Amino acid sequence: MRVARQTRYGQLIRRCLRRWIPAGHAPWRRFPAWSDVPRRRWYDWRWQWRHLIRTAADLERLGLLRPDVAERLRSVTDTYPVVVSPYYASLMDPDDPADPIRRQAVPDLEEVTSPTRLSPDPLGEGRLEVVPGLIHRYADRVLLIASNMCSTFCRHCFRKRILGRPGVATAVRHLDAAVDYIRRHPEVRDVILSGGDPLVLPTSILARLLRALRSIPHVEIIRLGTRVPVTLPMRVWDPALLAVLDRYGPIWCLTQFNHPREVTPETDATVQMLLRVGVPVLNQAVLLRGINDDVETQRALHRALVRACIKPYYLHHADPVRGTHHFRTSLTRGLEIMEGLRGHISGIAIPTYVVDLPDGGGKVPLLPDYRVAVGPGVWVFRNHRGELFAYGVEPMGDGTQRLGTSE
Ligand SMILES: *Cc1c(COP(=O)(O)O)cnc(C)c1O
């Protein structure tokens, strides 16, 4: 029975890889360090895991850090450790210091020059913890920090305070207490497994957690907040993992692509596998200065996502977290970008721009104002081309007409 199931998912994996990844595709071979790594190895997540890049010196050897910079980064990496998967590193352009993928994963001195008035936890998550690792901010949903490990540590992570640090609410031993709390709170209908990354947990532990959550009748949906599809897609290409996701649904996958170059043939294959075991894939991009804070990049990113069958969900304004100030941009910039999306790319490709308020205030959406004036019974709107329209407020629609152009 078990063997038959594994074979079925094995076939699904092979079919998706064959269908979505071109035969000669091997971009990692550009790197001398990986020029003779065969596809079979490269596409084995265990190989990727064994070869995680964990030091500035490793990045230097790959040509992703200049030696003089690498030497000065100790002050950064002592505070905020380095973890980069070979797969994610292979998407970087070693010749471009401003490469958008490199900037997300390679440490930078700016991280320790961050003003100390910035809090490591501006969202006040620590105070909203009801049991270690379980954040209960909205009545009907909870967020569980199921792991403090990731396949790549994002330099812009808003939970950089917990990454890879033993002893902080990680932890497998806390999972039972969290499940207990959820069982005792029938108002909780939606459980978000986050971290860290829940998909770097051993499959058996994830299975145990999902099984426990599924045994709670009031838990309707489970979300996996994971960057694995971006940084270690081959983790999904594991028959045992797909079997678990298939079995314990409804499960939604919430991931974080921030740049169109992160969307690769490996992404296509991964998303197709997830869809085929009943897991929809949504994206929560983060607005990052110098990486994706312009209209062109955002259009390309969101078009690439829907082409890969990923539904854009949120565009997050970056939180004011200590160690990440250099990634932040202004709210007006964010609104300009949203204006540049609506009407210009498919509606299904448009995320909701959100700001997470401090101290557990929660997320609020921010929208460019398309309503430019409010009159008695009539509102005036502008569209994406700057044309003006009067629109009757009441059911009979009196006063609805086209007006002209705003510029
Ligand atoms: C973002 C978040 C959620 C989920 O919010 P949605 O708007 O439902 O996606 C839940 N709990 C916490 C603590 C969060 O930060």
Side-chain angles (χ1 to χ4, degrees):
M1 178 61 202
R2 187 187 198 107
V3 172
R5 229 187 305 129
Q6 294 266 334
T7 311
R8 195 167 95 233
Y9 295 108
Q11 280 166 350
L12 166 64
I13 291 164
R14 282 191 297 278
R15 219 171 44 241
C16 288
L17 295 181
R18 227 179 299 123
R19 164 83 171 77
W20 295 99
I21 302 184
H25 179 76
W28 62 90
R29 300 241 166 103
R30 294 183 295 135
F31 288 80
W34 298 318
S35 59
D36 51 12
V37 178
R39 180 183 272 213
R40 180 173 38 82
R41 283 266 165 75
W42 186 261
Y43 281 173
D44 177 352
W45 69 263
R46 292 174 184 88
W47 184 92
Q48 293 275 335
W49 198 254
R50 279 198 305 272
H51 292 84
L52 286 182
I53 298 157
R54 289 171 176 276
T55 64
D58 290 345
L59 288 166
E60 184 193 326
R61 272 191 290 279
L62 289 163
L64 295 167
L65 262 182
R66 290 207 324 260
D68 54 315
V69 180
E71 222 161 80
R72 287 184 306 157
L73 280 174
R74 163 126 305 177
S75 58
V76 178
T77 55
D78 281 352
T79 315
Y80 304 119
V82 174
V83 171
V84 188
S85 69
Y87 168 81
Y88 197 60
S90 78
L91 304 181
M92 299 174 190
D93 176 357
D95 299 320
D96 178 7
D99 178 76
I101 294 169
R102 177 178 180 161
R103 287 206 46 224
Q104 291 181 62
V106 171
D108 188 315
L109 282 171
E110 294 249 40
E111 292 171 53
V112 287
T113 61
S114 199
T116 46
R117 68 171 185 280
L118 289 180
S119 161
D121 178 20
L123 304 183
E125 292 191 322
R127 259 171 297 126
L128 292 172
E129 270 181 294
V130 285
V131 297
L134 189 71
I135 303 165
H136 196 176
R137 182 207 281 178
Y138 298 103
D140 73 331
R141 48 213 193 272
V142 291
L143 186 147
L144 175 58
I145 297 177
S147 154
N148 71 342
M149 188 55 193
C150 281
S151 52
T152 291
F153 288 179
C154 302
R155 306 322 294 179
H156 58 274
C157 183
F158 78 111
R159 285 204 195 108
K160 237 156 151 123
R161 65 184 192 278
I162 66 163
L163 282 186
R165 254 163 250 253
V168 188
T170 65
V172 171
R173 73 193 130 88
H174 293 309
L175 298 180
D176 290 339
V179 169
D180 244 24
Y181 176 92
I182 296 166
R183 200 182 295 283
R184 284 183 282 106
H185 286 79
E187 71 275 22
V188 175
R189 285 190 290 252
D190 176 354
V191 177
I192 302 162
L193 302 184
S194 185
D197 195 317
L199 285 189
V200 308
L201 289 171
T203 308
S204 59
I205 289 173
L206 183 67
R208 189 166 155 263
L209 176 59
L210 291 173
R211 189 182 323 120
L213 290 171
R214 268 293 155 242
S215 75
I216 304 174
H218 57 264
V219 172
E220 292 171 2
I221 62 166
I222 298 169
R223 306 190 219 180
L224 296 174
T226 171
R227 242 194 141 190
V228 150
V230 185
T231 56
L232 191 70
M234 43 296 278
R235 170 67 178 109
V236 173
W237 313 348
D238 177 335
L241 179 65
L242 288 177
V244 166
L245 298 180
D246 198 1
R247 176 160 183 190
Y248 296 114
I251 293 174
W252 293 64
C253 173
L254 282 296
T255 189
Q256 185 200 131
F257 286 89
N258 291 326
H259 193 276
R261 273 195 18 233
E262 293 170 336
V263 185
T264 62
E266 286 85 351
T267 312
D268 288 318
T270 305
V271 174
Q272 290 299 323
M273 287 174 213
L274 289 169
L275 292 175
R276 274 156 225 260
V277 297
V279 178
V281 184
L282 273 57
N283 194 61
Q284 304 194 178
V286 183
L287 184 59
L288 299 168
R289 188 162 96 208
I291 291 174
N292 63 16
D293 65 335
D294 62 283
V295 171
E296 275 319 306
T297 305
Q298 288 287 343
R299 283 184 188 164
L301 167 63
H302 287 99
R303 279 202 313 261
L305 289 172
V306 291
R307 211 184 309 121
C309 284
I310 299 169
K311 168 67 188 117
Y313 175 42
Y314 280 149
L315 173 63
H316 289 274
H317 192 72
D319 300 309
V321 174
R322 188 187 298 170
T324 68
H325 70 290
H326 51 299
F327 288 108
R328 299 191 78 222
T329 178
S330 70
L331 291 169
T332 35
R333 187 87 203 98
L335 278 175
E336 278 164 24
I337 286 168
M338 291 310 293
E339 278 216 52
L341 298 184
R342 174 67 61 189
H344 301 278
I345 60 169
S346 306
I348 59 168
I350 297 178
T352 301
Y353 180 38
V354 288
V355 177
D356 221 328
L357 300 175
D359 293 324
K363 298 178 187 65
V364 290
L366 255 177
L367 210 69
D369 219 344
Y370 291 100
R371 195 179 68 170
V372 294
V374 175
V378 177
W379 292 353
V380 177
F381 290 99
R382 67 187 169 86
N383 70 2
H384 65 286
R385 284 191 296 264
E387 298 155 346
L388 295 178
F389 301 81
Y391 202 94
V393 175
E394 297 305 327
M396 288 305 150
D398 295 324
T400 298
Q401 58 169 308
R402 186 185 182 113
L403 296 174
T405 307
S406 64
E407 275 105 320

